[in-house]
Amino acid sequence: MIDYPTVKLAHLPTPLQPLPALTKYLDGPNIFVKRDDCTGLAGGGNKTRKLEYIMADALAKGADTIVTVGATQSNHVRQTVAAAAKLGLKAEVLLQKSVVRDADYARNGNYMLDALMGAVIHEIEPVKDINQAGLDFCEQLNQQGRRAYYVGLGGSSVLGSLGYVQCAQELLSQTQAEGIALDHIVTASGSYGTQAGLLVGLAQERAAITLHGISVNKPAVDLRAGVLQLAQQTADYIGLSSATLPDAVICNDQYYAPGYGLPNDKMIEAVTLCARIEGLLLDPVYTGKAMAALIDMVRQGHFTKGENILFIHTGGAAALHSYRTVFEG
Ligand SMILES: *Cc1c(COP(=O)(O)O)cnc(C)c1O
């Protein structure tokens, strides 16, 4: 078990549910979902678990303002703004215009919610190092006498990853209670924290479950390197020997083309299918592409009948509104 300071922001434990219609439709393995889209804070999602640890640190350091960064439709920014609002802190966010689409993308979905929750939004042109831009901006505020605290891209620090170490433990106690022996876990993976935290949490419990990180924005080699480094740092932090981490960190980059936040046909099929047969809302940027991977791996015979596959629903449905035209007709 891990025990570090947190501030309560999430509805936990999130449900573990079977997906019977999807299982039947694909006629392959048994498919389950961990509902981290139901963490509860302003639309929920995976960043809320990370923020329980990060915001405890911000409060301990006497912050009056939270600064963070992301794309225009960042779910991380939305959940961070919500956490700041709930804790009585100001939020100033840098939204990088790395994806340019239409008016819905520019102003609806997460952007609209950030503004509604009182964030001061600064839109910026794409930069090489968004974390450096965020840190510099934070420093400027501090020079003006503010007590600004910087939350890195995707909340993927060691503290943020602890949220997913804890998620792994929560999940294993649920599968144990229900007598489900998982073979594989599939999750969307972007800024490393979710996959790194799960990897450490599963290793700590010596669970023999294969974790697949589905890249949403970069080649597998780069994702793997980032996940491994953060997993090692997180293992060190909790006093777990990094020798217990698996040798192979599995990252799959076959499903994010043509790029971060840009739709593809398999994503559209996965989002539409889950909506229509399970009433389950996925998102266009992360979970739609991760579910497309899961579906394709079943069809290709990588996951077979009798196996138990868990999909981590990391959230993001708030962004559906900003991709309205993709799902029309
Ligand atoms: C941020 C995000 C992810 C990826 O999590 P990382 O920890 O950045 O890898 C997956 N799904 C959704 C919906 C997200 O917002």
Side-chain angles (χ1 to χ4, degrees):
M1 289 301 282
I2 58 164
D3 187 16
Y4 296 95
T6 55
V7 35
K8 199 165 166 36
L9 298 169
H11 298 180
L12 301 179
T14 59
L16 171 73
Q17 298 170 335
L19 291 176
L22 184 65
T23 297
K24 188 161 170 242
Y25 179 88
L26 292 173
D27 193 26
N30 304 310
I31 304 170
F32 298 84
V33 61
K34 174 74 170 156
R35 297 294 304 271
D36 271 18
D37 57 321
C38 300
T39 51
L41 182 68
N46 63 338
K47 305 313 180 305
T48 302
R49 285 190 191 269
K50 301 177 179 187
L51 286 163
E52 290 205 327
Y53 293 85
I54 294 169
M55 295 303 264
D57 187 48
L59 291 178
K61 295 197 165 124
D64 62 16
T65 303
I66 300 298
V67 173
T68 196
V69 297
T72 307
Q73 287 296 333
S74 168
N75 302 300
H76 160 71
V77 169
R78 185 228 327 135
Q79 288 161 84
T80 305
V81 168
K86 189 174 163 71
L87 298 171
L89 307 175
K90 296 191 180 71
E92 300 227 8
V93 302
L94 302 187
L95 297 183
Q96 171 173 244
K97 290 190 263 181
S98 49
V99 177
V100 178
R101 292 181 54 78
D102 53 10
D104 287 323
Y105 186 87
R107 291 292 175 264
N108 210 329
N110 284 305
Y111 182 99
M112 180 261 170
L113 297 175
D114 296 342
L116 176 63
M117 292 185 284
V120 178
I121 299 174
H122 306 270
E123 289 189 88
I124 62 167
E125 294 305 318
V127 291
K128 222 161 106 203
D129 187 346
I130 182 79
N131 271 321
Q132 194 56 51
L135 281 165
D136 291 347
F137 179 74
C138 197
E139 181 55 30
Q140 273 176 37
L141 292 183
N142 284 329
Q143 275 167 12
Q144 294 161 18
R146 303 269 288 271
R147 296 175 69 91
Y149 180 95
Y150 183 61
V151 179
L153 185 69
S156 284
S157 57
V158 167
L159 284 181
S161 300
L162 295 179
Y164 272 85
V165 176
Q166 192 269 336
C167 177
Q169 293 170 349
E170 178 183 301
L171 171 67
L172 291 171
S173 61
Q174 288 173 315
T175 51
Q176 197 171 27
E178 304 208 12
I180 302 164
L182 291 180
D183 298 291
H184 298 272
I185 296 177
V186 175
T187 184
S189 189
S191 68
Y192 317 133
T194 301
Q195 194 176 354
L198 288 171
L199 204 68
V200 171
L202 293 172
Q204 190 183 31
E205 302 295 323
R206 304 196 187 298
I209 305 172
T210 309
L211 176 64
H212 301 257
I214 310 303
S215 181
V216 296
N217 62 355
K218 57 174 76 68
V221 281
D222 300 331
L223 182 60
R224 198 177 297 123
V227 168
L228 192 60
Q229 186 184 24
L230 185 55
Q232 281 164 347
Q233 290 166 347
T234 306
D236 283 349
Y237 188 84
I238 67 169
L240 180 76
S241 160
S242 40
T244 27
L245 295 177
D247 296 328
V249 174
I250 300 173
C251 295
N252 184 326
D253 59 11
Q254 296 303 297
Y255 299 93
Y256 78 89
Y260 175 78
L262 302 177
N264 62 41
D265 289 346
K266 284 185 174 147
M267 176 282 285
I268 296 171
E269 187 208 356
V271 171
T272 307
L273 180 67
C274 288
R276 292 185 183 179
I277 71 174
E278 288 285 357
L280 185 71
L281 297 179
L282 302 177
D283 84 284
V285 182
Y286 297 94
T287 54
K289 288 179 176 175
M291 181 58 89
L294 187 157
I295 291 170
D296 197 49
M297 286 193 275
V298 173
R299 287 178 176 156
Q300 306 274 338
H302 296 299
F303 301 147
T304 52
K305 260 200 175 127
E307 287 190 310
N308 293 315
I309 315 294
L310 177 78
F311 182 74
I312 312 259
H313 191 336
T314 44
L320 279 172
H321 305 280
S322 69
Y323 285 81
R324 180 177 55 93
T325 55
V326 171
F327 298 99
E328 266 172 3

